[in-house]
Amino acid sequence: MNDISHSPSAAKATATKAPPEVPQESAAVPKMRAEKVSVHYADKQALFDVDLDVPENQVISLIGPSGCGKSTFLRCLNRMNDTIDIARVSGHITLDGENIYDKALDVVELRARVGMVFQKPNPFPKSIFENVAYGPRIHGLASAKRDLEEIVATSLQRAGLFNEVKDRLDEPGTGLSGGQQQRLCIARAIAVNPEVILMDEPCSALDPIATAKVEELIDELRENYTIVIVTHSMQQAARVSQRTAMFHLGYLVEEGPTDMMFTNPTDKRTQDYITGRFG
Amino acid sequence: MSDLIIVGILLALMALGYQVALGRYRKVTGRSEVRPHSRPAYHGLLVAIWCAIPALAVIIVFGLFEPVITRYVILSALPPEVRDLPTHELRGVMQRIHQIATGFGIVGEARPYENVAATRLGTYHAIWNFALVALVASSAVAGLVYTLRRITPRLRARNEVERVIRVLLLLCSAVAIMTTVGIVASLLGEAVRFFGFVNPLDFFFGTVWNPRFSSVGAGQGDFGLLPLLVGTLMISAIAILVALPIGLMTAIYMAEYASSHLRNIAKPIIEILAGIPTIVYGVFALTVAGPFFADLGAAVGLDISATSAFTAGAVMGVMIIPFISSLSDDIITQVPASMRDGSLGLGATRSETIKRVILPAALPGIVGAFLLAVSRAIGETMIVVLAAGNSPVLRFNPFEPSTSVTVSIVNQLTGDTDFASPQSLVAFALGLTLFIMTLGLNVVALYIVRKYREQYE
């Protein structure tokens, strides 16, 4: 497949024609590109030579059985593995062609450009307003209180939460329901105005209705952001993502357009996994 | 001697009861169709427990009545003119008789009536002890037999044992509470007696502390609390000023920055500070820190006395560091990792994360650690005795000698003490003041913790 454009429909259209295992050699540079990424936790290798492109303004989902390395890979993309003492990352990851593991690169700036939403909703023990205002404040995105309020309102609107909380912005964020908390965390990530949003099983702690809302939100966010989502739910991967990458035992098994992966996977392991034979 | 016999008999009966109960249980359940409710061990325990409970009840009742009966026995043996002595003299006589009876020896020659009474008391004691042993043993056996007869497959022995354990635990926690109540009551009682000598207004607002004069000459001494209180507050404040920043920053470094290797070495070393006896700190303050501060003061043109509030406070601050650092460290480590990740994932730096997320979340615990440290500082005695200069004069200069409430309590209660004079009784009033201060601190702490608690669950 040699023309991944910014439009997902175009990607889908070409996906059926091109064999999915062919790496993308597109004219458009992928938003992020990982080459030969390996991760060790102390002596144990958790990820082996992963090559993966993250195309811009699309949703790519990472699937695979537990312990397959998909979350580890996700955390490489904004260097969250740096916070784990024993983790060691090797290989090459670029964001817009820039090596993010370069010594000259500021990890704080990277995380502002590549935001993250976690598995369990983790709002800070502060008010709803302060939760969303946290990022803009530390990055100095708003000079006046008015600007800050503006950013908070827009972020909450984009996260589809504004109407539910607009009258109680000063109440604690931890008082919201699980689904609302997760959307608050998404709003918090959006408020920094990132280019890429990483989501680590964002719906695994939510009920089906809250899940549907978050999935709907992910689909809308695709317009403005590039999204990488780790999920255990194959249905979710099928619903929200344009591309899917299958991990197994630390290796990237295969990667391709989502509909292709679910209808006609090339690798036996992928087929076994999505048909529920293991995992 | 009889005490040991009683304990031995009781333990033997309990063990016997346990075994017999197991045998009976087997017999009873063997011929019954009913599924037994409790396992055999519970039946055994139940019998052993009901062996002990009546026996203990007997011991307690005997213990309650013993002084009354002893008194009656002695009094009945005394000639009428001795019996009519004033109370405190009579008490002395009775003490002498007791000592003769137990072969303890007394000062001076024993009077004839004393010997008579002592012999009578000795006989009576022998009978008493025999009766006690007999009663304890028989009540234990009675309890054993009665409970043994209750054993059936349907007996809910497990539930009954559970109930006994619950009562036992309740009694244990009651000990701590009753002790506190007792301490407060005795403090209050003695303090009230003190305020019978000295006007509370003079005590709480007096600016002169000079209690010794009245024991020499006539008239009241001066029992002004303020010089002592100012000393205590000044020394504690200096200690906290030293300990809080150092302790908190140590905790932050240990919890958030230090490698696990460094933490494993450094944490125990810091905690050793808390294990050093305070008298050692006092000696250190007196011989090393004090002269050092005095020289330092001379070098920069400040008049610092070697024994001063500053010396005591600074050394005490070092002593308190591990309280703050260790507790805060635990609390900071307990803040969920998801908070940290959330903040770092938004591009916050480590110190921003600590300042804006971790510390607010850990605040209630840190306030608790802080107040614990303050109570330690207020109650600390040995360092102040040695290093503050023992100068109960109302002064606000930390570089001059000072003293504290605790040191004055020590001074008033060492050496000759007469618990009927205000010179000794003032110690209880001082103790009560300290108690109220720490109580107030705790109330304030609870209020702060409730108000600023940020839930992260």
Side-chain angles (χ1 to χ4, degrees):
Chain A
M1 169 164 44
N2 47 20
D3 98 326
I4 278 298
S5 73
H6 292 265
S7 144
S9 56
K12 272 179 191 160
T14 52
T16 44
K17 289 168 203 156
E21 72 270 25
V22 174
Q24 305 164 21
E25 298 288 341
S26 67
V29 181
K31 186 70 189 170
M32 295 191 85
R33 162 171 276 174
E35 286 170 302
K36 295 219 166 296
V37 173
S38 296
V39 177
H40 289 78
Y41 290 119
D43 297 334
K44 195 175 162 288
Q45 187 161 7
L47 214 55
F48 299 84
D49 293 331
V50 172
D51 295 313
L52 186 68
D53 283 356
V54 177
E56 190 163 15
N57 288 60
Q58 294 198 19
V59 179
I60 179 166
S61 51
L62 314 181
I63 62 170
S66 295
C68 66
K70 52 195 191 309
S71 287
T72 299
F73 178 73
L74 189 76
R75 291 172 67 95
C76 290
L77 295 178
N78 70 343
R79 291 183 57 179
M80 279 305 279
N81 282 328
D82 288 14
T83 62
I84 302 169
D85 279 348
I86 54 168
R88 195 159 42 80
V89 182
S90 62
H92 202 73
I93 300 178
T94 58
L95 171 64
D96 288 339
E98 240 184 299
N99 179 13
I100 65 168
Y101 279 88
D102 193 82
K103 281 204 170 62
L105 182 125
D106 182 11
V107 66
V108 165
E109 198 191 326
L110 169 71
R111 289 185 191 144
R113 291 173 66 192
V114 183
M116 188 151 191
V117 175
F118 296 85
Q119 182 171 2
K120 206 180 137 212
N122 59 345
F124 299 130
K126 300 174 183 294
S127 70
I128 295 171
F129 182 90
E130 284 302 323
N131 260 286
V132 184
Y134 185 85
R137 270 194 215 278
I138 57 176
H139 293 295
L141 296 184
S143 46
K145 193 162 186 296
R146 240 198 143 74
D147 298 345
L148 193 62
E149 282 166 0
E150 174 85 34
I151 292 177
V152 170
T154 327
S155 306
L156 285 171
Q157 267 157 2
R158 283 201 188 164
L161 191 61
F162 188 69
N163 287 332
E164 290 162 58
V165 301
K166 62 182 176 210
D167 300 325
R168 44 177 180 148
L169 288 177
D170 52 348
E171 284 175 27
T174 43
L176 298 174
S177 73
Q180 289 173 324
Q181 286 190 14
Q182 195 60 298
R183 278 182 283 149
L184 177 64
C185 291
I186 293 175
R188 190 174 70 180
I190 296 172
V192 187
N193 209 10
E195 297 155 36
V196 181
I197 302 176
L198 311 176
M199 298 185 175
D200 191 353
E201 297 180 42
C203 300
S204 65
L206 305 183
D207 68 43
I209 295 170
T211 301
K213 278 196 173 166
V214 172
E215 284 179 3
E216 199 181 314
L217 172 62
I218 291 172
D219 204 48
E220 286 165 17
L221 292 174
R222 180 159 54 87
E223 262 181 53
N224 300 304
Y225 307 96
T226 302
I227 295 172
V228 185
I229 175 171
V230 165
T231 177
H232 264 131
S233 152
M234 252 90 58
Q235 290 85 344
Q236 184 169 68
R239 282 192 297 261
V240 301
S241 66
Q242 285 71 54
R243 298 188 71 84
T244 297
M246 163 78 192
F247 283 73
H248 184 53
L249 297 176
Y251 293 94
L252 175 63
V253 173
E254 65 173 311
E255 187 271 339
T258 299
D259 43 8
M260 198 68 196
M261 289 281 286
F262 281 95
T263 50
N264 192 14
T266 49
D267 196 288
K268 177 86 169 39
R269 286 170 293 178
T270 313
Q271 198 174 7
D272 286 351
Y273 183 66
I274 59 178
T275 52
R277 233 162 282 166
F278 76 83
Chain B
M1 199 50 215
S2 66
D3 298 349
L4 274 182
I5 294 173
I6 288 174
V7 171
I9 289 175
L10 208 50
L11 285 180
L13 278 175
M14 283 168 77
L16 180 77
Y18 187 86
Q19 286 305 326
V20 174
L22 290 192
R24 170 144 180 99
Y25 172 84
R26 254 178 249 123
K27 217 169 98 192
V28 167
T29 50
R31 64 174 128 88
S32 163
E33 293 296 303
V34 189
R35 204 178 69 86
H37 174 272
S38 306
R39 283 184 294 125
Y42 281 110
H43 290 269
L45 272 178
L46 189 68
V47 171
I49 287 169
W50 279 109
C51 222
I53 289 177
L56 288 177
V58 167
I59 292 173
I60 290 171
V61 170
F62 262 56
L64 284 180
F65 282 106
E66 208 219 332
V68 183
I69 297 177
T70 312
R71 187 185 159 82
Y72 172 77
V73 168
I74 299 177
L75 276 182
S76 66
L78 291 179
E81 70 272 16
V82 182
R83 230 181 289 169
D84 293 339
L85 282 175
T87 326
H88 66 275
E89 281 180 48
L90 191 64
R91 206 185 292 162
V93 172
M94 292 183 113
Q95 213 152 21
R96 284 167 65 86
I97 293 172
H98 248 289
Q99 283 168 350
I100 298 169
T102 51
F104 217 69
I106 50 161
V107 188
E109 199 69 15
R111 271 158 274 182
Y113 69 83
E114 284 180 347
N115 276 328
V116 173
T119 326
R120 181 93 70 98
L121 189 62
T123 329
Y124 152 75
H125 263 307
I127 298 171
W128 174 268
N129 281 337
F130 180 75
L132 182 60
V133 172
L135 254 178
V136 165
S138 51
S139 57
V141 170
L144 193 159
V145 171
Y146 175 71
T147 319
L148 216 50
R149 290 168 62 102
R150 286 180 58 211
I151 292 182
T152 63
R154 295 313 305 155
L155 175 64
R156 301 183 163 217
R158 166 163 43 82
N159 306 22
E160 290 192 27
V161 170
E162 284 298 317
R163 208 174 306 141
V164 172
I165 289 174
R166 205 182 64 202
V167 171
L168 204 67
L169 296 177
L170 183 79
L171 288 178
C172 287
S173 51
V175 167
I177 295 168
M178 294 316 286
T179 313
T180 315
V181 171
I183 290 175
V184 173
S186 80
L187 273 181
L188 263 179
E190 303 289 334
V192 165
R193 276 176 69 197
F194 169 74
F195 288 127
F197 289 101
V198 176
N199 186 339
L201 286 179
D202 291 342
F203 174 71
F204 285 114
F205 299 105
T207 54
V208 180
W209 175 261
N210 196 355
R212 293 214 169 170
F213 272 120
S214 62
S215 66
V216 185
Q220 288 280 19
D222 292 308
F223 295 97
L225 173 70
L226 283 183
L228 312 180
L229 200 59
V230 167
T232 289
L233 293 180
M234 199 156 62
I235 293 170
S236 305
I238 293 167
I240 292 299
L241 280 180
V242 171
L244 189 65
I246 298 180
L248 200 53
M249 293 196 194
T250 308
I252 291 172
Y253 178 76
M254 286 295 163
E256 297 289 327
Y257 290 92
S259 68
S260 58
H261 185 66
L262 177 68
R263 188 164 48 231
N264 288 343
I265 298 172
K267 257 197 104 173
I269 294 179
I270 295 171
E271 278 160 15
I272 283 176
L273 282 179
I276 299 175
T278 56
I279 187 75
V280 176
Y281 278 104
V283 172
F284 169 74
L286 183 67
T287 57
V288 182
F292 171 75
F293 288 138
D295 292 347
L296 195 70
V300 297
L302 260 175
D303 190 15
I304 302 181
S305 171
T307 52
S308 63
F310 180 73
T311 307
V315 174
M316 197 194 288
V318 174
M319 182 198 82
I320 294 173
I321 287 173
F323 283 87
I324 295 186
S325 74
S326 207
L327 284 172
S328 311
D329 185 345
D330 292 346
I331 291 150
I332 291 172
T333 322
Q334 275 167 20
V335 175
S338 63
M339 293 292 114
R340 233 162 255 132
D341 282 354
S343 175
L344 293 173
L346 286 169
T349 64
R350 256 178 175 178
S351 68
E352 281 166 344
T353 302
I354 291 164
K355 198 173 68 192
R356 291 167 180 263
V357 175
I358 310 244
L359 286 186
L363 187 72
I366 292 173
V367 171
F370 166 72
L371 282 150
L372 188 68
V374 174
S375 325
R376 280 287 308 207
I378 289 178
E380 175 49 40
T381 314
M382 285 328 294
I383 295 176
V384 189
V385 167
L386 290 174
N390 195 12
S391 159
V393 180
L394 188 59
R395 279 195 280 242
F396 295 94
N397 182 353
F399 299 125
E400 285 181 47
S402 178
T403 190
S404 75
V405 177
T406 50
V407 170
S408 304
I409 294 178
V410 173
N411 288 340
Q412 294 315 112
L413 292 185
T414 42
D416 267 346
T417 48
D418 169 10
F419 279 98
S421 74
Q423 279 72 28
S424 299
L425 287 176
V426 70
F428 296 97
L430 293 174
L432 191 67
T433 313
L434 282 185
F435 179 80
I436 290 170
M437 279 168 70
T438 41
L439 189 74
L441 277 176
N442 279 324
V443 172
V444 171
L446 271 182
Y447 174 76
I448 292 176
V449 168
R450 273 214 202 109
K451 183 157 183 205
Y452 293 101
R453 170 171 296 161
E454 294 189 327
Q455 296 288 351
Y456 45 76
E457 269 310 306

